[in-house]
Every structure is written in structure tokens, then in C-alpha cells.
Amino acid sequence: MSYITLNRANYYHNLDILSQKAGDKSKIMAVLKDNAYGHGIEIMAGFAKDFGITKVAVKNLSEALAIHHLFEEVLILADQSCFQVFAQNISMSVHSYELLQKLPKDMPIHLNVDTGMRRDGVGLDEVQKCLQYILKHKLNLKGVFTHYRSSDDLNSEFYWQRELFAKVKSEVRYFVEKNSLSMPKFHSCNSSSLLRSEMFDEDYARCGIATFGYCAIDPLLGLFDLRPVMTLWAERLSSRYIKKGEKVGYGGVYESPKSQIVSTYDIGYGDGFFRYDGLGELAFCDGKTVIGRLSMDSLCVEGEDEKIRLIPCAQELAEFFKTISYDVLSKLSTSIKRVEESF
Ligand SMILES: *Cc1c(COP(=O)(O)O)cnc(C)c1O
């Protein structure tokens, strides 16, 4: 059976790099959304807690409920269906004034302000209105944040949005002090924006992909020794001897250029792996390449190894499929067993 092993030491190593950048581990909000980018939310939450992480972000309420007993703060990033206070350490991201108006008194919230991404968040011209509403209806404003649209890229957009967020921070601070509210936490950086920051001075950074060992930041913005946490293993189902000129798999798109042993392994697109159509060369770890089309439950590779590693090569796979490592990792089926790597 295919399975995933998770390397605790590598996760700690990546968190150390990010904590150093941020100043301290208390300044890292570990992003565990989407089943911890496919790694398995419960195991990764345990690792994060053991490392000393106190704040995490998740996708929705069900992820929050699964792990909130481990942390001081759990921020829900993308769930618009939660209109009830579940626990004081579960906060909701508020992406619009409309949503704000549906939330009950005492609801812990982080207000998302759109500083240029134009995806979500309240407008710069709506911040006052939101603060007034929060004050009047006694919502618990725990944080104010924004998200950068180009933190991986070598251009000045990051600085432009950061300037706008600095103005938001002043506006919020002024309002909060004037009305004797408690000061919310300010946060804007994801992994890449923290890594490219020279002087990080916010309350914390929301880090996902780099904690798992990947980052697509432009190399001119810095090179970082991040180590993949996940290894995805597939086990051999069967092997056969293929003669030169024989075709392998659906459509017979692969014609063997030589006599060789080909084995079939138990991962396919039904497991959340990308479907490869057999065209071009899909290379992955340990110098191996996929032979013919990928099936729903299996793929073929030269040789007779009992098991093969398909990840850590999320970056290479992402490039082949013209996508990003986040996509390769987060799609992996929840039914694949995840275990801590043992030595
Ligand atoms: C996913 C997400 C993050 C984490 O981004 P990485 O690039 O994985 O570090 C941070 N903030 C928000 C709002 C997100 O949705």
C-alpha cells in the first residue's frame, strides 16, 4: 500500500529558519490548512505543538475543531459558514463587511484588509466602517491582516502593498487606542514574504509552504536550505519482462525502446497524483521516469524495486505539470496513510 512518511527533524529545521527570520518561534503562525498541505493535519499539528508553535491557521471549522486543543490561537482562513462562537481560541477571518454583519457578539475575528490583491478582504475605504461595527457590536478583534499577491516575484509590488498595510495599521491603532480596545495582532507575511523581509517587525507571519520544505521565491531574493518533510512511497504490485517494441499501458503510447523489466506501483490519479498522459518525460526522484500513461490506481516504472519514492520531488512534478508545489502536495488523497518517519 502506498503511504506517506513525515520527517519531524526536517519540519523543525524549516521552522528554525523561519523563526530566525521572524525573531522568535512565537512569531510564527504555522499554516496547516488543507490537511496541512496534504501532509496530514493531526500529525503535523502534533509536530508544530512539540516544536513550540502556539498559533496556527487552518482552512475551515472542521480542521479547527480537530486541533484547537493544542494551540493558543487557531485562525480559520476560508469558511463563511461559521456564525457561532465555538471557543475563544478559534478565530474567523473576515473577508467582507457583509460577513462581519453576520457574526455574533464576542466572536474572535481577524479582519482581512485588501491592500491590492483584489481577491478578498475589506477595502481600504471600508476599514473605518468595519471598526465602528466591531466596536458597536462588541466583536472580539484579535487581528488585522493582509495578503501579498507577488511575494515570490522579483518586483516592487510587495513594497507597495506593505506601505498600504502600514497605513491600515496606523488607522487601526489610532481607533483602538481612542476607544480603549485591546490592540489586535498585525500580520501580513506568508513564507516568501517573511523570507524576503530584511527587518521583520510584525506580530507574526503566516507560514505554510516553507515549513514543509518548499518555496518558489525568486532565487535573487535569497536561497534557503529548506528540507522537504514529506516522502510519498508507492509499493510494487507486479513486474514483467517487456520486449523491445512492445507497448505498455493505456493507448499503447509508450513503445519500449529496449528489452527491460517494468514494474507497476500502487499510486495513480485516484490517489490525488497528477494524471500523466504518457507524453514528454515525467522524471521524479532517484532518476526514475514514468512509463506510459498513469492509471487511476497505478503507474509503471523500469526496474524491480520493492518500493519507490514519488515525493520529495514536488517542485519537479509541479514544473512538469505547469503548476506549483502547493497543488501537488495538497491534492494527495486523505486516504493515503501518513506516519512519522522512523530512523
Ligand atoms: C495559505 C495562506 C498562507 C500561507 O502561505 P505560504 O505561501 O504557504 O506560506 C498565508 N496567508 C494566507 C491568507 C493564506 O491563505
Side-chain angles (χ1 to χ4, degrees), residues 20 23 44 69 77 82 92 99 158-159 176 198 203-204 232 236 246 248 282:
Q20 264 167 33
M44 293 312 301
H69 58 286
L77 291 170
C82 163
M92 275 278 283
L99 173 66
F158 167 66
Y159 301 98
V176 163
E198 262 124 47
D203 292 305
Y204 45 84
L232 171 63
R236 192 170 66 91
E246 271 194 293
V248 179
L282 176 53

Side-chain angles (χ1 to χ4, degrees), residues 66-271:
I67 60 168
H68 80 104
H69 58 286
L70 299 172
F71 302 103
E72 285 168 18
E73 170 82 350
V74 179
L75 175 61
I76 295 177
L77 291 170
D79 192 342
Q80 304 283 307
S81 58
C82 163
F83 304 125
Q84 185 188 336
V85 179
F86 283 87
Q88 277 304 317
N89 71 339
I90 299 182
S91 311
M92 275 278 283
S93 296
V94 175
H95 302 298
S96 68
Y97 184 63
E98 191 192 346
L99 173 66
L100 186 65
Q101 291 167 293
K102 293 184 184 154
L103 300 175
K105 182 170 166 285
D106 295 328
M107 182 91 182
I109 58 166
H110 287 232
L111 184 66
N112 177 7
V113 182
D114 178 6
T115 54
M117 187 162 178
R118 313 300 286 134
R119 177 184 73 172
D120 48 31
V122 304
L124 295 169
D125 56 354
E126 292 180 303
V127 173
Q128 264 312 312
K129 176 167 88 170
C130 292
L131 292 171
Q132 296 289 355
Y133 188 92
I134 289 165
L135 179 69
K136 185 160 171 226
H137 295 86
K138 297 191 167 47
L139 293 166
N140 178 3
L141 181 65
K142 283 183 141 181
V144 176
F145 72 101
T146 194
H147 196 54
Y148 298 111
R149 72 178 185 194
S150 301
S151 44
D152 288 330
D153 308 330
L154 187 64
N155 61 35
S156 61
E157 294 198 346
F158 167 66
Y159 301 98
W160 159 66
Q161 280 191 265
R162 197 168 65 169
E163 278 306 300
L164 291 174
F165 192 54
K167 292 195 182 121
V168 172
K169 289 192 251 187
S170 315
E171 184 180 353
V172 174
R173 279 195 198 104
Y174 180 78
F175 182 91
V176 163
E177 279 161 10
K178 199 173 76 182
N179 293 288
S180 313
L181 297 171
S182 54
M183 192 59 73
K185 303 293 184 197
F186 295 102
H187 47 107
S188 64
C189 290
N190 70 340
S191 300
S192 296
S193 15
L194 172 63
L195 289 171
R196 72 186 285 174
S197 296
E198 262 124 47
M199 287 273 288
F200 179 79
D201 62 357
E202 292 192 326
D203 292 305
Y204 45 84
R206 306 179 304 268
C207 299
I209 198 74
T211 68
F212 301 110
Y214 295 91
C215 190
I217 193 168
D218 189 300
L220 292 173
L221 293 168
L223 292 170
F224 305 94
D225 170 32
L226 299 168
R227 301 184 185 160
V229 172
M230 174 194 291
T231 305
L232 171 63
W233 298 93
E235 290 189 325
R236 192 170 66 91
L237 293 166
S238 66
S239 300
R240 67 212 68 249
Y241 178 72
I242 303 289
K243 292 202 279 275
K244 181 172 181 208
E246 271 194 293
K247 294 178 173 174
V248 179
Y250 282 117
V253 294
Y254 175 86
E255 185 176 322
S256 187
K258 59 180 182 186
S259 301
Q260 58 176 331
I261 304 274
V262 171
S263 298
T264 304
Y265 294 87
D266 59 355
I267 286 215
Y269 60 82
D271 300 292

Side-chain angles (χ1 to χ4, degrees), residues 289-300:
T289 54
V290 177
I291 286 179
R293 286 188 191 155
L294 199 102
S295 303
M296 191 184 286
D297 295 316
S298 64
L299 55 82
C300 296

